[in-house]
Amino acid sequence: MAIQRVETPENIGVGGSISLRWAFMLITTLFFMWGVSYGLLDVLNKHFQETLSVTKAQSGLLQAAYFGAYFIVALPAGYFMRRHGYKAGILAGLALYALGALLFVPAAMVNNFSVFLFALFVLACGLGCLETAANPYATVLGDASGAERRLNLAQSFNGLGQFVGPMIGGSLFFTHATQDAAQESVKTTYVVIAFVVIAIALLFKRTALPDIREAASEHAQQPGATLWQQKHFVGGVIAQFFYVAAQVGVGAFFINYATEHWHGVTNQSASYMLSVAMICFMLGRFFSTWLMGRVKPAAMLAAYALINIVLCAVVMLGAGDVSVVALIAIFFFMSTMFPTIFAMGVKNLGPSTKQASSFMIMAIVGGAIMPYFMGLISDHVSTAVAYGLPLLCFGVVLVYALRQRRAL
């Protein structure tokens, strides 16, 4: 089991020692906040198609800017944390998150898609810092044997944020008759988010978090072994790339798919259906966290990947409301994949955990690539056929899960 050391004065506040449990509770607020941001992203995708007359492929550039930022910022964030610790990384991420949200003000004023992309890129740079810090921090705030379960629990609140995001976007972004009024609602939403993020940053600034140091253990990598010689880590990076590609692609064109295949569904009602999907995502994480106490994480990951392959095939059939229901169900079985792959990939890496986390976050760039290609297929063939790409991605996750299951 990895050694954890809680030192003073870093972990001493006004009320005395900060417990691992309280630190974990505080960290979950970050998961919720970047969940809200991600939940809004898929609504913005359809919103800008309507208000700025961009194609589906062009709207996929939103995801490219968002997840491309993760790829760019992950390694610098990991290096920054190795020098200054998890708390400094969290504060830097919150500052960039707030700045990016405030940049939506000038973007709305000029009503230009490229400026919106830049604002989203800056915001996502902050989220990349937060994920690089918070994901590994959650795994080490306790016994190593419970790392996957602990990260799944924290990520459950990310699912709650992803449910709230489409509800906000659906109720505000599609209810205005004029383009100016529609962008005004986008601006107001992100200004409110910026102030909430600033408040959270002040809370973190005033709170002394436990100083967790990852040390080598009996299960850690062998002396002289490089990070890239760890098969569970390398496989985890590959699986994470394809999983995030699948997750982002599934959500990016959800509203398009629902309006095309369920008769009478509007953009606004499809946004609410996306919130239902996010409820399934959230419930899936809570349920899977409970189930993980009884079923090995690798076995659960394999089962969920296989089920999603079947569900994607049903979505590709374009069988009306039945296929839309299958699309919603995919979210439930995607729920546990990111935290499980992440925890399995960085497990027992000792002092290399922060560096490994950076590469795992860089793998999120899969989400930057997938929507553009799905958009091209949607523009030239159909949205239903485009869901063949997530099907292939879930196949890669299945292979990784089966290999990890045999390795345990």
Side-chain angles (χ1 to χ4, degrees):
M1 183 177 66
I3 299 170
Q4 296 133 14
R5 187 172 69 218
V6 184
E7 299 180 337
T8 57
E10 282 295 313
N11 65 319
I12 299 298
V14 176
S17 179
I18 303 298
S19 69
L20 296 181
R21 179 174 296 180
W22 169 245
F24 181 77
M25 291 171 63
L26 194 58
I27 288 296
T28 58
T29 64
L30 303 179
F31 287 83
F32 174 80
M33 287 306 300
W34 77 63
V36 171
S37 175
Y38 178 67
L40 283 168
L41 182 64
D42 295 331
V43 182
L44 284 175
N45 189 295
K46 181 62 174 176
H47 172 74
F48 288 139
Q49 289 177 33
E50 298 288 335
T51 61
L52 299 179
S53 301
V54 298
T55 66
K56 292 177 183 176
Q58 288 173 326
S59 71
L61 293 176
L62 286 170
Q63 278 79 9
Y66 192 90
F67 293 101
Y70 278 73
F71 180 79
I72 293 172
V73 81
L75 277 179
Y79 176 78
F80 180 79
M81 286 191 303
R82 285 197 298 274
R83 289 180 60 90
H84 303 288
Y86 286 114
K87 182 177 178 178
I90 289 169
L91 291 174
L94 289 170
L96 286 171
Y97 188 172
L99 175 61
L102 290 174
L103 285 175
F104 271 74
V105 175
M109 290 175 65
V110 300
N111 199 29
N112 183 278
F113 185 61
S114 296
V115 183
F116 277 115
L117 285 178
F118 177 72
L120 200 61
F121 174 82
V122 174
L123 183 153
C125 283
L127 298 181
C129 290
L130 292 180
E131 291 223 39
T132 304
N135 280 300
Y137 195 45
T139 66
V140 298
L141 282 173
D143 192 280
S145 63
E148 294 94 343
R149 193 178 187 190
R150 192 161 48 251
L151 186 54
N152 267 279
L153 178 58
Q155 287 276 0
S156 297
F157 292 90
N158 174 263
L160 177 61
Q162 291 185 40
F163 157 69
V164 172
M167 290 292 290
I168 295 172
S171 61
L172 297 178
F173 297 171
F174 298 118
T175 57
H176 301 284
T178 66
Q179 188 179 97
D180 289 342
Q183 306 303 18
E184 185 70 22
S185 65
V186 172
K187 179 182 73 174
T188 302
T189 299
Y190 278 88
V191 168
V192 172
I193 288 175
F195 281 106
V196 172
V197 171
I198 291 170
I200 293 174
L202 292 174
L203 178 61
F204 269 92
K205 179 68 176 176
R206 295 176 61 87
T207 302
L209 295 176
D211 180 23
I212 303 295
R213 308 292 176 87
E214 300 91 353
S217 71
E218 61 186 65
H219 300 295
Q221 61 191 78
Q222 295 299 315
T226 68
L227 192 59
W228 295 102
Q229 290 175 314
Q230 308 302 313
K231 293 182 179 179
H232 71 287
F233 164 72
V234 175
V237 171
I238 296 170
Q240 200 71 287
F241 175 92
F242 284 98
Y243 163 68
V244 176
Q247 179 189 339
V248 175
V250 166
F253 297 100
F254 180 96
I255 296 176
N256 290 97
Y257 189 92
T259 54
E260 292 170 11
H261 292 87
W262 195 313
H263 181 70
V265 169
T266 65
N267 289 333
Q268 186 175 36
S269 56
S271 296
Y272 295 147
M273 292 174 69
L274 179 57
S275 281
V276 172
M278 292 305 184
I279 290 176
C280 293
F281 190 85
M282 178 183 67
L283 293 176
R285 279 192 167 159
F286 280 113
F287 172 77
S288 299
T289 301
W290 170 81
L291 189 60
M292 205 167 282
R294 296 157 178 79
V295 178
K296 290 183 177 180
M300 181 185 299
L301 183 64
Y304 281 16
L306 181 60
I307 292 170
N308 270 351
I309 290 172
V310 175
L311 290 172
C312 281
V314 176
V315 172
M316 291 181 68
L317 292 175
D321 52 358
V322 173
S323 289
V324 176
V325 172
L327 180 56
I328 292 173
I330 289 173
F331 285 80
F332 181 93
F333 295 102
M334 285 196 302
S335 61
T336 190
M337 291 185 179
F338 179 89
T340 302
I341 294 170
F342 189 100
M344 289 167 61
V346 304
K347 195 170 186 177
N348 296 322
L349 292 179
S352 298
T353 300
K354 290 188 179 76
Q355 183 183 16
S357 173
S358 296
F359 287 111
M360 294 293 283
I361 295 302
M362 287 181 71
I364 290 177
V365 74
I369 298 170
M370 176 65 79
Y372 179 75
F373 289 103
M374 286 187 68
L376 284 178
I377 295 174
S378 297
D379 286 333
H380 294 93
V381 186
S382 72
T383 307
V385 173
Y387 277 87
L389 294 182
L391 184 153
L392 296 175
C393 292
F394 288 125
V396 176
V397 174
L398 176 61
V399 170
Y400 175 68
L402 291 175
R403 288 182 175 177
Q404 284 299 108
R405 188 167 179 265
R406 288 195 293 268
L408 296 176

